[in-house]
Amino acid sequence: SRSRPSSGPEKKLSGMPVDPETDAEAVDDGPELKSGALLWTPIETQGDAPSARSGHTLTVIGDKAFVFGGVYRDPKPNNDVHMLRIPKKMPGVQQQPCEWSIVKISGDGPDPRYHHSATVAEDGVTIAIFGGSRTDTERFNDTWLLDTAKKTWTNVSKTNDDGEMQIIHTPRHASTPRPNGWITPRGGRNPPPSMVAEDLPSPRARHASTCIGNRMYVFGGVGGTGYAKKNFTDLFVLDLT
């Protein structure tokens, strides 16, 4: 083994011991994995794997991982769904390869896109997908729900006569009408009318989203018109119940 200088007052990195004479962390060149270390390993897969892409999402539900969207060198993104089945590792049993398959989803699905977001809803089977880009100048602010058990898409958005996106999903627990389903993230399950978001989130990509309970939070991202990109710092919440 060899030594490298310590990065500061913390005396252990990756569970490796510190040389008391040089105050440096020992680095093991051998194949043995030390306790507490993190190790990347390639995973053997088989089946119908997704094509090379970027800007996609990978969402894990139980022993399955779902890949949606993304784009390669061709400027046209895709909207296909692939599933990776991840077998459990059993002690003393050789690890079985993970298997890819193409998932056929019923009904119309989202337009092809990349740099969207995907997060698992509270029910543990639904993936909520929001926003993303079709091109460098065209972005989305629609919301889709993928039921991974029933293999169905649900569009909770629609376009009005003015070409503006609206939410057609109505929360069951809303005590006041919500024209678009989005609310401002300020305490309480049933917000007063003043907390209802007046506008939908602007079309955007490269944002972040996560579900807490029955609510999907969307933060930040890049939007704007055409090549005049705008960075967002706003926060929106959509009740998915």
Side-chain angles (χ1 to χ4, degrees), residues 62-85:
D63 62 349
K64 303 178 182 67
F66 295 86
V67 171
F68 170 74
V71 66
Y72 187 47
R73 294 177 181 176
D74 191 303
K76 296 180 181 179
N78 63 71
N79 62 348
D80 54 10
V81 179
H82 284 76
M83 182 182 73
L84 179 66
R85 188 178 298 276

Side-chain angles (χ1 to χ4, degrees), residues 138-158:
E138 184 179 3
R139 289 168 282 273
F140 299 101
N141 65 340
D142 53 353
T143 305
W144 291 79
L145 303 180
L146 172 59
D147 188 320
T148 61
K150 298 179 180 179
K151 305 297 189 297
T152 57
W153 283 113
T154 301
N155 182 5
V156 298
S157 310
K158 71 175 182 179

Side-chain angles (χ1 to χ4, degrees), residues 169-233:
H169 173 67
T170 302
R172 295 193 303 267
H173 302 288
S175 60
T176 57
R178 300 182 193 170
N180 55 37
W182 292 89
I183 60 176
T184 54
R186 288 183 286 170
R189 184 173 182 80
N190 299 316
S194 61
M195 291 172 58
V196 177
E198 296 180 358
D199 300 308
L200 290 167
S202 300
R204 66 190 62 200
R206 301 176 184 269
H207 53 280
S209 73
T210 190
C211 281
I212 301 177
N214 289 319
R215 292 179 173 180
M216 178 178 68
Y217 291 74
V218 173
F219 173 76
V222 176
T225 303
Y227 288 103
K229 294 182 178 180
K230 178 181 179 180
N231 294 320
F232 294 115
T233 58

Side-chain angles (χ1 to χ4, degrees), residues 1-58:
S1 64
R2 64 186 186 277
S3 297
R4 64 185 177 207
S6 175
S7 59
E10 186 173 345
K11 299 302 182 181
K12 285 191 176 182
L13 294 175
S14 305
M16 301 298 292
V18 174
D19 187 330
E21 296 182 0
T22 62
D23 195 30
E25 180 190 4
V27 179
D28 193 342
D29 294 322
E32 182 181 356
L33 180 63
K34 301 299 183 180
S35 175
L38 300 178
L39 178 68
W40 283 102
T41 56
I43 296 178
E44 181 183 355
T45 64
Q46 59 187 22
D48 295 320
S51 60
R53 64 189 66 195
S54 64
H56 56 284
T57 51
L58 185 147

Side-chain angles (χ1 to χ4, degrees), residues 224-241:
T225 303
Y227 288 103
K229 294 182 178 180
K230 178 181 179 180
N231 294 320
F232 294 115
T233 58
D234 49 8
L235 176 65
F236 285 85
V237 181
L238 179 63
D239 194 330
L240 298 174
T241 54

